[in-house]
Amino acid sequence: MADDLQGGLIGCGYFARNHLNGWREVEGAGIVSLCDQDQEALGQAASDFGIPEQYTDPQAMLESEDLDFVDVVTQAPSHRFLVELVAASGAHVICQKPFAPTLDDARSMVVACNRAGVKLMVHENFRWQRPMRELYEVVSSGAIGEPFFARVEFRSAWDVYANQPYLATDERFIVYDLGIHLLDLARFFLGEVEQLYARSQRVNPDIRAEDVATIVMDVAGGKTCVVEASYASKLEHEVFPQTLIKIEGERGAAVLGRDYALSVTNEAGTETRAVPPHTFDWSESPGQAIQDGVVSIQRHWVECLRTDAEPETSGSDNLRTLELVFGTYRSAEERSVYRTERSLGSW
Ligand SMILES: NC(=O)c1ccc[n+]([C@@H]2O[C@H](COP(=O)([O-])OP(=O)(O)OC[C@H]3O[C@@H](n4cnc5c(N)ncnc54)[C@H](O)[C@@H]3O)[C@@H](O)[C@H]2O)c1
């Protein structure tokens, strides 16, 4: 439609296929041009998704196209350059997670977008999966009373290195790549973190960095949250990419269990129902929950642009999730408690 928001997408690699499939589900916006410095990746995505406008240079795309927004789907080291380039062009910008390799880079992008008067959303999609939204509804309805404890668990032995070989060779792995989603979920369900203590391990000898992490967090209001991430867990049930969550409150508990079973226990007893992710004709097992999260966050973005609202996972919101990632590394390395800037009164 003529009044659809016009988007460009930079980075046509592995995960961009989910974005491009997702954009086709979203009313009111479409991707009209693609950019990748790798001609082969660019050509493949352009032909698979029927998008004729192709660029190997982001600046050329921004100068030639009249874009309302740009979806940046590259790896983190390129984010600051690309996000600031897009902001300078006057287009709104979505940036994949991890937002940045350093907090300084992340803050710089937030400032650049604020100065340019454009919206910035980090594509932090786990909280947008349908099972997470259903769990959130239960907790915020008061059905389990005020939460005091949560466990957010992702334990798997899935071969993630097959599609993302860089995960085996990067100097940081599970906290930076996956734990970041779990830390964001912890914030989503319980609130802001005051301090944390973390342990990390490298179990798989064939990779460079940590593939297991355990984080215990003090959350504002006297709550406790345990976050567990592992790609070294050879368990009876391989549940990749399911995140299992238990939240206990003063009246009962809400548990998102295996195969998207949501149980709510309180003085009325226990009720269990299935809350599977939304699926599309392009959804692929077992990644449906991830793909569901992609479509939902894209719809949220369009809604924010249409109504001039702040995205839930805006750049400035994501600084808090990112701080927990770096705080986890520091705590694990120094075997010390990391106190967040919030607890120290810096924000
Ligand atoms: N949210 C999720 O659930 C999820 C899942 C997987 C990956 N990701 C994230 O998505 C991002 C991309 O991951 P991927 O596995 O698709 O990476 P990838 O390496 O397969 O693809 C990135 C593409 O970006 C291109 N690129 C890099 N710098 C560029 C530049 N300056 N200009 C133009 N093109 C450039 C590369 O050529 C490549 O084709 C990562 O940050 C990753 O963490 C998110």
Side-chain angles (χ1 to χ4, degrees), residues 11 13-15 36-37 73-75 96-98 125 164 166 181:
Y14 162 66
F15 202 69
D36 197 301
Q37 60 197 12
V73 203
T74 60
Q75 294 180 38
Q96 250 297 347
K97 51 58 66 174
N125 50 42
Q164 295 170 274
Y166 54 90
H181 293 299

Side-chain angles (χ1 to χ4, degrees), residues 128 226 283 289 335:
W128 285 98
V226 179
S283 297
R335 302 268 168 133

